[in-house]
Amino acid sequence: MPLRLTAEDQQLLDGGSGPGAQMAMRIVVRLAEALEAEQLLTISGAHVDSCLYHGPSTLAFAERLLALGASVKVPTTLNVSSLDLLHPDLFTGDPKEAEQSRLLTECYKGLGGQPTWTCAPYQLDERPGFGQHVAWAESNAIIFANSVLGARTDRYGDFIDICASITGRAPAAGLHLQENRRARRVFDVSGLPSALLDSDWLFPVLGALVGATTGVQVPVVTGVPGGQPEHRLKSLGAAAASSGGIGMFHMVGSTPEAPTLSEALGGVDPLSTMQVSLTDLNQARASLSTATGLSLSSVCLGTPHYSLDEFAVLVPLLSGRQVHPSVNFLVSTGRGIYHELQLRGWLGTLEAAGVTVVVDTCTYLSPALTGGTGPAMTDSAKWAYYAPSNLGVEVTLASTAECVNSAINGVVTVDESLWANG
Amino acid sequence: MADFPHFLCPGQAEGLVLRLDEPLSLWGGLDATTGRIIDQHHPQVGMSISGTMLVMPSGRGSSSASAVLLEAIRCGTAPAAIIMEHPDAIVALGAIVAAELYDVALPVVVVSPQTLATYITGDSLSL
């Protein structure tokens, strides 16, 4: 069935709300046709990934929208930039590129986006509620919104995020529709040791395995105790959305659309069920740990942006200790959380230990931010997945405590006991 | 899904097939200035996708893949066409915006798994 537009949609498409909104609507309609949507739906918010600079074309796109008089119609948050806008001196790369990146952030502010500069918009006070339709881009934010909040967004990429925001409309397709939200592949982890099931450290590794194994279908994890905290769900989702193309997962007893396995599956038999073994997980872990030696140049945490709950774990681990002078220890977070760190006195503790807290950006975007190309450690499977390509560094994926201990010792120090049989 | 092939973004193209064994996230996986695959986890790392009829099962990973495809189109390093088994909005958007901004038509096409399986690296293909 062809796409049906409302009178208001047609008015936007015909230019009745100005050429900027018309250009945005043209792109929304083209995507809707590509996805074979039958109609558009109204969104209550947007999260824009397009403000991250990838070259002159991305700036040209934003400048075109701005020049044509476009502005956002719904509350719109902005994703990370290429720069730490509060601490510009941390960026030591090409000044011309920094200037282009800054111009791009100005464009998106000019279009009406809120200067939140975070890849974890779900950590902000205002976040979408269950069943609300939004247009979120940034793979980890998409999977969190769908899976953990029960809000509805498709896997949006750059450009459509801002166009949906300008028009207030998005294609009624993909994960906006109930039938596409049911789980198709089951990952049963009930056979894993209980100590591992009870560890933060399981979740990024499991996410990497689920993403690489699932492809594009919605997976469901069963066998983990119910009521898992958000930081674990965030870590799993970010990893799965990096190693795979998925925009949603369920975890029985922990995510809102999966009170039971049967409900997550929508009463339909799954395409496959995988009994996850320690061997599977160790393979996933090994694939993300490319470093072979013990030397360590940087520790990078906070991809996606560290939450207050995660800082509550990290700060005591570093309190009264000192990062080895040869190690660059960076934690990325949003400026909202950074402000809270200041208020609580946690920032002082971290800085006294030799940690740099980076805001507005992410440390895998530029070697300048990590302090070089030497071996790195991280507790984020997403960082581990992208850093070897983006930065040319070797990576060891490890638990938060192992990252801290290694930073203090100045060499990679890991504990394999959790991952050993028996 | 309607009849195959389904054009996510219309256009005509011809060239030699490059078939990827796994999906590729263009962001983090492609250097737009050279057209080379840089994803160290990808089986075809190091190969150039410029001018090819790029065949892969689906998209992967980052939302910024749209921007990287647009930038590759601007740099002249993009594939001639992208052919997938699963529709991917993120990949399609790079081509949709290139049509809007630069008046370039890079076809992004979804075909059946059976058809996708017949595409062999090095074969000539026109759309």
Side-chain angles (χ1 to χ4, degrees):
Chain A
M1 198 182 291
L3 179 68
R4 291 189 316 274
L5 297 179
T6 64
E8 206 171 316
D9 292 336
Q10 192 64 51
Q11 186 257 355
L12 280 166
L13 191 59
D14 293 341
S17 296
Q22 184 181 26
M23 172 177 157
M25 192 60 170
R26 206 156 46 226
I27 290 170
V28 170
V29 166
R30 281 185 189 150
L31 181 68
E33 287 169 347
L35 298 175
E36 298 181 286
E38 294 178 7
Q39 56 188 331
L40 305 181
L41 49 76
T42 298
I43 55 163
S44 61
H47 181 68
V48 171
D49 189 61
S50 314
C51 50
L52 177 59
Y53 183 74
H54 297 287
S57 61
T58 54
L59 183 56
F61 173 77
E63 286 177 336
R64 173 88 64 95
L65 281 172
L66 200 55
L68 294 177
S71 65
V72 304
K73 200 171 186 175
V74 295
T76 300
T77 49
L78 297 176
N79 201 46
V80 293
S81 149
S82 308
L83 304 172
D84 180 336
L85 298 160
L86 291 185
H87 312 104
D89 294 347
L90 288 176
F91 186 85
T92 56
D94 180 355
K96 185 163 176 284
E97 188 152 315
E99 177 58 14
Q100 300 283 300
S101 301
R102 200 189 57 73
L103 284 175
L104 188 65
T105 62
E106 291 299 321
C107 278
Y108 280 97
K109 280 199 290 183
L111 290 166
Q114 300 164 27
T116 46
W117 316 125
T118 181
C119 59
Y122 44 84
Q123 290 170 8
L124 299 169
D125 289 337
E126 299 290 328
R127 57 187 203 176
F130 186 85
Q132 273 190 324
H133 289 284
V134 294
W136 276 23
E138 161 57 43
S139 65
N140 102 83
I142 293 165
I143 198 167
F144 194 97
N146 279 318
S147 315
V148 184
L149 302 182
R152 296 186 170 205
T153 178
D154 205 15
R155 263 184 83 238
Y156 288 122
D158 285 13
F159 314 128
I160 190 64
D161 44 18
I162 188 67
C163 291
S165 168
I166 289 165
T167 58
R169 303 283 277 168
L175 293 168
H176 287 290
L177 305 180
Q178 183 67 36
E179 65 264 29
N180 297 327
R181 296 173 70 82
R182 69 166 196 257
R184 308 295 303 280
R185 299 201 183 269
V186 178
F187 291 83
D188 183 355
V189 300
S190 57
L192 297 174
S194 58
L196 191 56
L197 289 176
D198 196 31
S199 166
D200 284 350
W201 193 181
L202 167 70
F203 292 81
V205 178
L206 180 59
L209 173 72
V210 167
T213 312
T214 307
V216 296
Q217 285 106 8
V218 176
V220 55
V221 175
T222 185
V224 183
Q228 291 293 334
E230 283 194 2
H231 69 276
R232 289 181 171 179
L233 301 173
K234 163 189 126 165
S235 176
L236 186 149
S242 302
S243 63
I246 60 175
M248 181 171 189
F249 71 93
H250 300 278
M251 185 176 287
V252 175
S254 294
T255 59
E257 291 169 55
T260 64
L261 180 59
S262 170
E263 283 181 72
L265 290 164
V268 179
D269 285 342
L271 295 172
S272 69
T273 297
M274 179 175 181
Q275 302 290 335
V276 176
S277 69
L278 261 181
T279 307
D280 299 323
L281 288 175
N282 276 317
Q283 280 171 357
R285 195 165 61 102
S287 77
L288 290 173
S289 287
T290 54
T292 46
L294 296 180
S295 74
L296 182 62
S297 160
S298 63
V299 170
C300 296
L301 312 183
T303 308
H305 279 168
Y306 244 38
S307 66
L308 273 181
D309 287 346
E310 289 170 299
F311 277 112
V313 172
L314 181 67
V315 170
L317 288 173
L318 283 157
S319 181
R321 300 171 85 186
Q322 199 62 49
V323 170
H324 195 278
S326 67
V327 175
N328 197 22
F329 195 128
L330 302 163
V331 189
S332 302
T333 193
R335 51 172 68 190
I337 303 285
Y338 184 82
H339 184 60
E340 190 63 32
L341 292 179
Q342 289 174 310
L343 292 177
R344 294 185 184 204
W346 291 359
L347 186 66
T349 306
L350 291 168
E351 288 179 345
V355 171
T356 303
V357 180
V358 179
V359 297
D360 300 340
T361 187
C362 184
T363 50
Y364 65 18
L365 292 169
S366 162
L369 289 169
T370 58
T373 55
M377 273 183 99
T378 183
D379 63 358
S380 160
K382 178 168 182 169
W383 202 93
Y385 188 88
Y386 285 120
S389 309
N390 285 10
L391 306 177
V393 301
E394 294 186 320
V395 180
T396 301
L397 177 66
S399 71
T400 311
E402 288 167 337
C403 288
V404 169
N405 290 336
S406 302
I408 285 160
N409 295 337
V411 292
V412 173
T413 313
V414 292
D415 173 9
E416 292 288 332
S417 61
L418 201 59
W419 302 93
N421 277 304
Chain B
M1 178 65 58
D3 294 342
F4 295 117
H6 172 60
F7 280 74
L8 299 180
C9 194
Q12 293 182 322
E14 57 185 5
L16 300 182
V17 170
L18 173 62
R19 184 196 176 97
L20 302 185
D21 296 330
E22 283 184 18
L24 175 69
S25 172
L26 299 179
W27 182 82
L30 179 74
D31 180 344
T33 59
T34 64
R36 288 196 181 279
I37 296 174
I38 55 168
D39 179 348
Q40 301 299 313
H41 303 282
H42 199 280
Q44 271 91 26
V45 61
M47 296 190 76
S48 171
I49 66 169
S50 295
T52 66
M53 304 294 275
L54 185 70
V55 173
M56 61 181 178
S58 65
R60 168 185 272 178
S62 172
S63 290
S64 296
S66 326
V68 175
L69 179 58
L70 178 67
E71 187 60 13
I73 291 168
R74 187 191 70 84
C75 293
T77 63
I82 299 177
I83 305 160
M84 298 179 291
E85 179 184 325
H86 300 285
D88 187 291
I90 293 178
V91 172
L93 277 161
I96 288 171
V97 171
E100 179 74 34
L101 210 54
Y102 298 123
D103 205 18
V104 171
L106 184 153
V108 179
V109 187
V110 176
V111 298
S112 69
Q114 294 78 13
T115 304
L116 194 93
T118 64
Y119 295 142
I120 312 288
T121 295
D123 283 359
S124 292
L125 179 66
S126 64
L127 283 171

